Amino acid sequence: IILPEWLKNCIENIPPGIGARCPRDTEALLVAAFDFAFQLHKEQYRKSGEPYITHPVAVADLLREIGASASVIAAGFLHDVVEDTDITPEELEDCFGSEVRYLVEGVTKLGGIHFNNRTEAQAENLRKMFLAMASDIRVVLVKLADRLHNMRTLSSMSKKKQLKISSETLFLYAPLAHRLGLYSIKTELEDLSLKFTKPEIYKAISLKLNETKIERNKFINKFSVPIRESLRNEKISFEIKGRPKSIFSIRNKMFEKGIKFDDIYDKFAIR
């Protein structure tokens, strides 16, 4: 499997081994959690045929990207071991301490919440229930990272599963990410949900965005010049990013206003 560079560096500094109990050093904790998950999941495979360990590694990597603590990243590596292997919560605590056990058990409990058509009208209540069940917001972070990677790899699932999981994501997980200020995760969850619920619309908008990419980048660069000059003159430290609006938000504007792609003029954002 391909490991992220930060994990490779940790392993180089601290060779893996399950012998350690409740490691306190950050690198030691992350290597131990990865190795523990690797050993327990090594005979398991995803629907895509990939080794199952690729999923917890991806979840841990996403959590690191958003600045989660070492214990939360460790929970990302371990979030499926209680549900999908023979390990018990007590054994997990013996190896990693009560905090990691608490986070993993919280994610396992949240995994029991599923969305279906009958509860679509109660999406807001579901979101409240989800947050109420997660007495620690870190549990929700792990679950969001778990869902994002599952959405990124949803192509290997059946059409029925794709529709169910995408609908659940759109009504429950994307709004949760928005409330927590995780806008990049929220946007990607929405776009991926559209990809599987409305594939033709998603493909059409995606192609249009690619066709206008060069022109849009030229405009963004030109638009940014006076802003950069003003900020430099004021001796303000800054970073400017330009990006296209999300496919999901463009589709919503087209639908709500009954207009075509070419009639939308705010297809990009500058921050």
Side-chain angles (χ1 to χ4, degrees), residues 71-177:
S71 58
V72 177
I73 298 171
F77 281 123
L78 300 164
H79 73 278
D80 279 334
V81 297
V82 172
E83 187 174 6
D84 294 343
T85 75
D86 293 331
I87 203 75
T88 66
E90 291 74 23
E91 290 170 319
L92 191 67
E93 181 174 355
D94 185 44
C95 292
F96 296 99
S98 58
E99 183 180 17
V100 172
R101 172 188 172 171
Y102 164 78
L103 293 170
V104 171
E105 281 196 298
V107 175
T108 302
K109 290 175 182 176
L110 288 183
I113 298 178
H114 294 289
F115 177 87
N116 57 59
N117 290 333
R118 287 176 299 174
T119 57
E120 180 173 325
Q122 298 175 331
E124 180 64 19
N125 290 335
L126 272 176
R127 288 193 286 270
K128 289 177 181 176
M129 180 176 69
F130 193 101
L131 285 171
M133 286 184 66
S135 56
D136 190 323
I137 204 68
R138 295 175 301 171
V139 173
V140 180
L141 294 180
V142 178
K143 192 61 187 173
L144 284 171
D146 171 54
R147 176 51 59 113
L148 179 55
H149 184 251
N150 281 333
M151 287 299 297
R152 287 176 176 177
T153 56
L154 197 59
S155 298
S156 59
M157 304 293 282
S158 67
K159 183 67 175 177
K160 184 177 179 180
K161 280 272 190 179
Q162 289 175 358
L163 290 172
K164 180 182 183 299
I165 293 171
S166 295
S167 297
E168 184 179 84
T169 297
L170 198 55
F171 283 98
L172 182 58
Y173 291 93
L176 276 172

